[in-house]
Structure formats: structure tokens, C-alpha cells
């Protein structure tokens, strides 16, 4: 195998783990590496649409992947060939919410499960008093799609498990109804695909994508607030699915009546089924969540340390798991046995009784830029210099850890990047915190300074 092919194959493996199956097949599957006379990675793509898609949305991911495999010095050259797309829908982009290991899972050549993350199943969901009704409703819907609660509307604060429940429904249906088409999508992705469909005159394909399914799982519906065109399109999608006796499951950070500028006709349709909420977990549930995650990550901690974390971190699951990561990372790096004293020291900024100063997202980014030694413009910009890339990824991780911003919202804050770039940055920083003490100290130091300033 030639060098350019080997480089692209290694790069492609990383990309495939970071984007949804739909994005992979519509954007990267037909890309080939060709020889070049210099040290660039020369890629050929089948058409102008794929070319524009990679250049405008996914170039940072490709560059990050090259950096991961030690080929950061290569420039990236993308040109169009006369290759014929392998299917009639090759130019239709299905930009589902992306995360490592998010897949389109064929079931014996029958129904597909699009956009689902294998980590989010009912088996991995920790039941407690705060979520037992929502869990029971989700199980009923999964067992009898479109025959129990349709739609099922689940609401609650960020980080409490709404996305987990939606995707668990998807996996259950996929396993027990082999011919069903299941699709999970965030509202942000639904919006992006809708805008792309209008721009590329592919609205018919967009409508088919979301109306020719048996179960539609749509996350964070509150982002439809104020978007009249998107609400109109979703209204007709809802009617089409509900009229065809297809299951719809929706999540939001608030109940329908609390979403400003949401059309009354949408609110009315959300009330056709069941509206249920998820509350912050109680102590027993928090402890069970920590044990579950420690077992999954193979990072056991003493019972008294887990109890200390569960007792003191009470706001949401995201912060709870973040505290666990911090303690286990420090223990791994220092080779010290984890103890309550260590946890108390490492989580001091989370345990303070003083609430952190309120900041806008831009103010927090400005403050973080100062700590990292770069300007806000540099963090938002396109430069690929290694120290800046590392700083940008740390900043994205801190936003994910300290705020309730979604991946797409963080991506918009950092210069309008694709949300998969943020997912990659968070995962990479989390991994480095376990492996590199300098990174661990830098990240925890920034979080502590922001919380205490």
C-alpha cells in the first residue's frame, strides 16, 4: 500500500468513529487518496457538493485526525473527479448528531437505526425515584410503538438523562421490531439539514428522510423556539407520522407551555400523548450512577470516595460524572490510592458554597482566552498551530463541563464550527486528562479559577 493510501486509511478510521453513518456514506465513503509530488494529502471527491461539504464543515475534523496520527505537517488538498455517486441519494447529507461510536445499524437488511449511540440503552440507564415514571413511559413506548403514548414528551434540566432515554427507546425498537426504521436526531441537526435541503433544492429527500420512518426521536425541541419555518416543517412531519400511526418521542429542557414563541398548534399536538419530566437524582441514584460509570470505565474507586462524590455533587449527572473523571484521572496520574481527602482536594471548586459569578458565554470565553494565553479571535479562528489547537480543545471541554450548552451551541460560540469538532475536543481532552498530568493540572486549574473569580 502506498504512503498516501496508508495515511488516508488511518485518517478515515478516526473520522468514521466521529461522524454518523449517514455523514460517512454521503460525505467520506467515496473519497480516495491519490499520489502527489509533495507532502500534502491529496484527496479526490466525486462531486462539488461533497467537496463543499468537506471544505466548509468537516475540514477541521480531517485536520484533527491527521494530527492524531502524527501527520499534522501535511497540507490537505481536495479536488473533484468525475466519479459517479454510488447511489441516487449520494449527494443528500444526513447530518445526524455525531458522537464517537454513533452508528446506523442495519438489522438483517431490514430496518435501520440511525444516529444511535451504543452506550445509551435501557440496561445502562440507572433507575431512581427521580426518573422512574419517565423510564416506565419510555419502556412502554419501546415495547408497543405508537400504541401507548404518542407522542411521548420528556422534559428536564440538562444532564439528567433525556437523550439516554430517547436513544434507549431506539435501540429497544431496533432489537425487537426488525423491520422498523428508527431515526434519532437533535433539533439543531434537523435545522441544519432543513436549511441545507432548501439551499440545495433537495427538500423532497429531506421530507422522505423524516417521514418514511417508524420511530422518530427528536432531542432538544426547545431550539425550535423562534424559528417559524422550522416549526412549520416539523408540524407537517409530525402530522404525517402521527397520521400514519408512527411513534414520535420528543425531549426538551422545559415543558411545552414554557417554550416561548412555540406555535400553539405544536403545543396542542405535544399534549396528544404523555408529558413527563425527569428530576435531579437523589443520593441513592447518584451513587448508583457513579458505580455504574466506574464499572463501565474500569476505574474502580473505594466506596467512601464514591459516597463522598454522590453526597456533594447534586445538580446533574453530567457534573457528577465529570467529578468522577477528575478524581480517577488524578489517582491514575499520581499512582496514589483514591481517598476522600484526595476527592475533597480535587473537587474543592465544586464543593464551595459560593456560587460562581454569572457570566455571559462571550465573557467566559474572554476570561478563558486570557488563562490560555490566546486571543478570543484566535480561539474562534481557523489556525491549526498545535498549541492553539490544544488550547481551543481545552476551552471547548471547559464549556461542556461548566455550562449547560449543547455541542452545537459550543460549536457556534467557537466560530461556527461543526458540532462533531466539539465532541472530538471533549473526548480528546478527557482522555488526555487521564494520561497527562500537565493537561490535567491545566484543565482543573482553569475550571477552579473561573469558579473562584
Amino acid at each position: 500500500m502506498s504512503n498516501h493510501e496508508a495515511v488516508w486509511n488511518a485518517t478515515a478510521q478516526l473520522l468514521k468513529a466521529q461522524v454518523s453513518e449517514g455523514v460517512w456514506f454521503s460525505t467520506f465513503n467515496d473519497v480516495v487518496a491519490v499520489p502527489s509530488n509533495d507532502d500534502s494529502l491529496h484527496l479526490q471527491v466525486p462531486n462539488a457538493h461533497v467537496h463543499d461539504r468537506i471544505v466548509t464543515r468537516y475540514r477541521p475534523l480531517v485536520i484533527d485526525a491527521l494530527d492524531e496520527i502524527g501527520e499534522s505537517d501535511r497540507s490537505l488538498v481536495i479536488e473533484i473527479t468525475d466519479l459517479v455517486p454510488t447511489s441516487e441519494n449520494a449527494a443528500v447529507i444526513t447530518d445526524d448528531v455525531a458522537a464517537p461510536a454513533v452508528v446506523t445499524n442495519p438489522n438483517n437488511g431490514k430496518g435501520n437505526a440511525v444516529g444511535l449511540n451504543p452506550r445509551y440503552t435501557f440496561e445502562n440507564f440507572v433507575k431512581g425515584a427521580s426518573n422512574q415514571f419517565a423510564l416506565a413511559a419510555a419502556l412502554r413506548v419501546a415495547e408497543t410503538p405508537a400504541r401507548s403514548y404518542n407522542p411521548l414528551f420528556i422534559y428536564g434540566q440538562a444532564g439528567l438523562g433525556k437523550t439516554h432515554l430517547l436513544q434507549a427507546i431506539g435501540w429497544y425498537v431496533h432489537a425487537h421490531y426488525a423491520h422498523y426504521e428508527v431515526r434519532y436526531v437533535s433539533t439543531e441537526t434537523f435545522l441544519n439539514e432543513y436549511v441545507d435541503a432548501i439551499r440545495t433544492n433537495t427538500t423532497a429527500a429531506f421530507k422522505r428522510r423524516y417521514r418514511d420512518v417508524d420511530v422518530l426521536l427528536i432531542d432538544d425541541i426547545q431550539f425550535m423556539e423562534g424559528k417559524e419555518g422550522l416549526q412549520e416543517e416539523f408540524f407537517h412531519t409530525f402530522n404525517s407520522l402521527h397520521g400514519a400511526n408512527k411513534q414520535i418521542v420528543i425531549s426538551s429542557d422545559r415543558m411545552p407551555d414554557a417554550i416561548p414563541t412555540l406555535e400553539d398548534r405544536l403545543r396542542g399536538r405535544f399534549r396528544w400523548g404523555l408529558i413527563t419530566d425527569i428530576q435531579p437524582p437523589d443520593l441513592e441514584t447518584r451513587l448508583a450512577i457513579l458505580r455504574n460509570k466506574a464499572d463501565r470505565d474500569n476505574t474502580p474507586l473505594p466506596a467512601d470516595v464514591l459516597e463522598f462524590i454522590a453526597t456533594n455533587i447534586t445538580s446533574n449527572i453530567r457534573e457528577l460524572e465529570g467529578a468522577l473523571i477528575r478524581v480517577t484521572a488524578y489517582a491514575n496520574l499520581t499512582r496514589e490510592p483514591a481517598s476522600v481527602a484526595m476527592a475533597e482536594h480535587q473537587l474543592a471548586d465544586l464543593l464551595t458554597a459560593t456560587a460562581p459569578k454569572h457570566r455571559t458565554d462571550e465573557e467566559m470565553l474572554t476570561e478563558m482566552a486570557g488563562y490560555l494565553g490566546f486571543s478570543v479571535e484566535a480561539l474562534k479562528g481557523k489556525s491549526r498551530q498545535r498549541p492553539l489547537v490544544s488550547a481551543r480543545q481545552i476551552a471547548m471541554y471547559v464549556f461542556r463541563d461548566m455550562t449547560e450548552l449543547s455541542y452545537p451551541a459550543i460549536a457556534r460560540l467557537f466560530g461556527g464550527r461543526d458540532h462533531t469538532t466539539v465532541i472530538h475536543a471533549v473526548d480528546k481532552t478527557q482522555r488526555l486528562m487521564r494520561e497527562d498530568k500537565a493537561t490535567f493540572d491545566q484543565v482543573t486549574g482553569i475550571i477552579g479559577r473561573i469558579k473562584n473569580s
Side-chain angles (χ1 to χ4, degrees):
M1 181 183 295
S2 62
N3 180 257
H4 62 276
E5 288 177 326
V7 169
W8 172 241
N9 286 343
T11 304
Q13 288 302 311
L14 289 174
L15 292 172
K16 202 167 187 177
Q18 295 175 48
V19 301
S20 68
E21 194 80 0
V23 171
W24 173 259
F25 279 109
S26 61
T27 306
F28 294 107
N29 191 58
D30 295 321
V31 175
V32 294
V34 295
S36 60
N37 296 323
D38 52 27
D39 290 332
S40 64
L41 176 60
H42 205 97
L43 301 178
Q44 288 185 340
V45 299
N47 55 56
H49 190 79
V50 172
H51 174 275
D52 292 345
R53 192 72 172 178
I54 294 176
V55 170
T56 60
R57 292 179 67 87
Y58 297 109
R59 185 183 182 90
L61 275 188
V62 179
I63 299 296
D64 274 345
L66 286 171
D67 185 39
E68 287 274 318
I69 64 173
E71 298 287 344
S72 58
D73 293 336
R74 287 183 183 267
S75 59
L76 183 63
V77 179
I78 304 172
E79 68 175 24
I80 303 166
T81 66
D82 295 326
L83 294 177
V84 178
T86 57
S87 78
E88 58 181 325
N89 292 325
V92 177
I93 303 302
T94 307
D95 187 18
D96 296 310
V97 65
V102 172
V103 296
T104 298
N105 197 324
N107 199 348
N108 297 324
K110 297 180 181 179
N112 289 319
V114 179
L116 300 181
N117 188 322
R119 291 177 297 180
Y120 295 146
T121 65
F122 284 125
E123 290 75 17
N124 292 333
F125 190 85
V126 179
K127 178 182 177 180
S130 58
N131 60 34
Q132 61 183 359
F133 186 73
L135 174 59
L139 279 166
R140 175 68 66 86
V141 163
E143 291 167 350
T144 56
R147 298 195 295 276
S148 298
Y149 312 119
N150 197 18
L152 174 61
F153 190 105
I154 303 172
Y155 70 94
Q157 301 169 16
L160 296 183
K162 301 185 299 296
T163 297
H164 193 142
L165 277 184
L166 260 67
Q167 297 213 11
I169 292 171
W171 280 120
Y172 189 96
V173 172
H174 181 61
H176 292 85
Y177 294 83
H179 61 289
Y180 273 29
E181 294 285 335
V182 179
R183 181 175 290 274
Y184 166 89
V185 66
S186 70
T187 299
E188 187 83 12
T189 296
F190 188 79
L191 169 62
N192 290 338
E193 291 191 16
Y194 176 59
V195 171
D196 276 346
I198 294 173
R199 180 176 60 85
T200 59
N201 197 28
T202 56
T203 53
F206 172 82
K207 293 177 191 295
R208 285 196 304 271
R209 190 180 311 142
Y210 288 103
R211 299 181 191 183
D212 292 350
V213 298
D214 298 283
V215 178
L216 178 63
L217 313 158
I218 185 157
D219 214 352
D220 290 326
I221 201 75
Q222 72 273 5
F223 289 121
M224 285 194 185
E225 177 183 336
K227 300 176 178 66
E228 294 180 4
L230 186 67
Q231 290 185 34
E232 177 78 17
E233 179 59 35
F234 183 69
F235 175 78
H236 293 299
T237 298
F238 184 103
N239 285 344
S240 175
L241 291 171
H242 199 277
N245 203 31
K246 308 300 184 183
Q247 179 67 53
I248 305 162
V249 186
I250 300 164
S251 82
S252 173
D253 66 355
R254 69 204 86 157
M255 60 190 307
D257 289 343
I259 304 176
T261 73
L262 187 67
E263 292 185 7
D264 288 338
R265 58 180 180 170
L266 275 177
R267 285 196 184 97
R269 275 156 178 74
F270 294 162
R271 296 189 193 102
W272 284 357
L274 176 68
I275 299 175
T276 183
D277 69 332
I278 298 180
Q279 295 293 328
D282 56 21
L283 174 61
E284 291 77 11
T285 306
R286 294 196 300 274
L287 193 55
I289 289 169
L290 289 175
R291 286 172 178 157
N292 183 285
K293 181 166 178 60
D295 289 343
R296 287 201 321 267
D297 294 348
N298 195 27
T299 53
L301 287 180
D304 59 341
V305 176
L306 292 175
E307 187 170 344
F308 175 82
I309 297 172
T311 301
N312 289 278
I313 309 298
T314 61
S315 57
N316 62 58
I317 297 168
R318 187 184 300 171
E319 189 168 275
L320 188 69
E321 292 187 343
L324 178 68
I325 289 169
R326 196 188 298 187
V327 173
T328 55
Y330 185 81
N332 288 340
L333 287 169
T334 61
R335 309 294 182 188
E336 296 178 22
S339 65
V340 171
M342 174 195 288
E344 187 172 8
H345 176 71
Q346 289 303 314
L347 304 178
D349 59 301
L350 297 177
L351 305 179
T352 177
T354 305
K357 179 179 70 177
H358 175 73
R359 304 168 175 83
T360 66
D361 297 334
E362 287 289 347
E363 288 172 344
M364 183 169 165
L365 182 57
T366 300
E367 186 173 343
M368 205 178 307
Y371 296 150
L372 290 166
F374 292 95
S375 66
V376 171
E377 291 72 21
L379 292 178
K380 290 185 175 184
K382 305 298 184 184
S383 172
R384 302 297 310 165
Q385 293 181 350
R386 185 181 291 270
L388 176 55
V389 170
S390 297
R392 188 182 294 134
Q393 290 173 338
I394 287 172
M396 290 177 176
Y397 173 87
V398 173
F399 264 97
R400 183 67 178 170
D401 183 80
M402 294 188 65
T403 74
E404 295 184 357
L405 292 180
S406 64
Y407 287 120
I410 297 172
R412 286 197 305 272
L413 180 64
F414 282 81
R417 286 174 159 79
D418 189 82
H419 66 277
T420 53
T421 303
V422 183
I423 294 172
H424 171 65
V426 171
D427 287 346
K428 182 177 180 180
T429 303
Q430 184 173 306
R431 173 172 54 81
L432 286 175
M433 286 177 68
R434 289 194 176 104
E435 299 171 354
D436 179 55
K437 191 171 188 305
T439 301
F440 176 87
D441 290 343
Q442 185 178 20
V443 174
T444 54
I446 290 172
I447 291 174
R449 292 172 73 177
I450 291 175
K451 288 197 171 186
N452 296 324
S453 63

